[in-house]
Amino acid sequence: MKLTQFFSSACAIVFMAGALTYAAAKNATPAYNEDIKIVKVNDSNFESEILKSKKPVILEISSTSCPPCLIMIPTLIGIAKNYSDIKIASVGIDEPGIEKIKASLPIQAFPTFFLIKDGKIVNKLVGAVKEEELLAALQYTPKKGAAKPAKKAKNSPKNLVCKTPGQFNGLKNLVTISFVFGATEIENVDIVTDVFVPPEMSDRREQMIEHVRASGKGEVEPTMTGFRMHIDNNCRFMKAMDMKRTSTYGEMRAGLELQGFTCE
């Protein structure tokens, strides 16, 4: 199907009951100046950046409250940096100005990747995936020299903490993602989601906690205001995601600020 037709038609969308976030910081220009070569897409530039792109496109649909989306950031940065003949584009599902995109694309979970060539969807992947899976789904054959990685710059060991407010299944939350950067790679990743349960729903808190525990996506514990979900390096879920760890401090900060996080 030609994506121009797909984009213009209104489809019934069933979104997975999951983490949807709106962060006011998304409207601001990222404060950290690092060229990560990822294009932010909304209704106003979808046609020019996606439909008329001369390069094949990996279009990511993401949510800031979705741990697999956050874990995919280094992979997308790596492809954008190392394959100059591929365009990486991202749509934040929680942002304003994407009504046509939401009404046109079959989005059921996060992250969803649409692999696009010449205005046509050639493939779709859902969930956290590896770089080679994205390239294979795009039916991409590297041009000579296209995949030559840039020389890796060394980091000074440092920490990065980024936060954004949002919603989790309709409840307010706060997502905090922390990194420890070593000299040549990310040494530790830690994601904490504090979910706030209002008093009128307190009798359902234990049921919510058990549901999260059953999913196997990290640890969960009650708090005074709701419950906290925690995913760290040793978590089975994090290991299964196989997160790339070669992004620099500057790239990760710019990537998260592009997604609406405030970093320090």
Side-chain angles (χ1 to χ4, degrees):
M1 177 181 289
K2 193 75 173 176
L3 188 54
T4 47
Q5 299 171 344
F6 204 50
F7 182 66
S8 61
S9 65
C11 301
I13 305 298
V14 179
F15 287 102
M16 180 182 74
L20 294 182
T21 301
Y22 176 82
K26 290 177 180 292
N27 295 323
T29 301
Y32 201 86
N33 184 17
E34 178 81 14
D35 183 11
I36 56 173
K37 299 180 174 64
I38 296 177
V39 179
K40 201 67 175 174
V41 175
N42 54 35
D43 288 348
S44 66
N45 66 350
F46 187 88
E47 182 175 358
S48 60
E49 293 289 352
I50 306 301
L51 301 183
K52 295 182 178 180
S53 175
K54 295 180 180 180
K55 298 179 181 180
V57 179
I58 298 175
L59 175 63
E60 176 209 31
I61 313 295
S62 69
S63 169
T64 53
S65 287
C66 157
C69 301
L70 303 179
I71 290 168
M72 283 300 301
I73 290 175
T75 298
L76 297 176
I77 290 173
I79 296 175
K81 184 169 59 174
N82 298 333
Y83 297 87
S84 60
D85 52 347
I86 295 176
K87 177 181 288 188
I88 302 294
S90 178
V91 172
I93 200 65
D94 322 306
E95 299 180 18
I98 61 165
E99 286 73 21
K100 290 182 180 178
I101 293 173
K102 289 195 294 185
S104 302
L105 295 178
I107 307 164
Q108 296 177 309
F110 306 106
T112 293
F113 298 95
F114 293 98
L115 297 308
I116 300 165
K117 285 184 173 181
D118 300 320
K120 298 178 182 177
I121 296 174
V122 297
N123 230 320
K124 183 179 82 168
L125 296 175
V126 177
V129 293
K130 297 180 181 180
E131 177 179 302
E132 53 266 32
E133 294 176 284
L134 284 169
L135 298 180
L138 187 60
Q139 303 168 9
Y140 171 79
T141 302
K143 295 179 181 178
K144 187 177 180 180
K148 185 178 180 181
K151 187 176 180 181
K152 177 67 179 176
K154 288 188 176 182
N155 285 319
S156 298
K158 61 181 70 178
N159 298 340
L160 175 65
V161 179
C162 300
K163 300 180 179 182
T164 188
Q167 294 185 42
F168 177 83
N169 285 352
L171 302 176
K172 291 182 179 180
N173 74 354
L174 178 67
V175 180
T176 303
I177 183 166
S178 306
F179 296 90
V180 177
F181 289 85
T184 58
E185 65 177 21
I186 301 169
E187 294 183 347
N188 189 65
V189 184
D190 195 272
I191 304 173
V192 173
T193 303
D194 285 300
V195 181
F196 306 103
V197 179
E200 62 270 22
M201 297 180 66
S202 59
D203 59 333
R204 295 174 53 194
R205 183 175 68 167
E206 288 303 319
Q207 181 183 358
M208 296 175 193
I209 290 174
E210 288 306 315
H211 179 75
V212 176
R213 281 181 180 150
S215 72
K217 295 181 179 179
E219 301 174 357
V220 58
E221 61 181 8
T223 62
M224 291 184 64
T225 56
F227 60 92
R228 169 175 289 182
M229 297 182 292
H230 183 208
I231 299 173
D232 62 17
N233 254 17
N234 298 318
C235 171
R236 174 171 57 86
F237 177 71
M238 182 72 83
K239 290 178 179 178
M241 293 299 98
D242 192 30
M243 176 182 179
K244 288 180 69 68
R245 296 179 177 271
T246 55
S247 295
T248 66
Y249 171 94
E251 290 168 346
M252 282 308 304
R253 179 165 183 166
L256 286 161
E257 289 182 343
L258 184 73
Q259 298 294 345
F261 281 76
T262 299
C263 298
E264 57 186 42

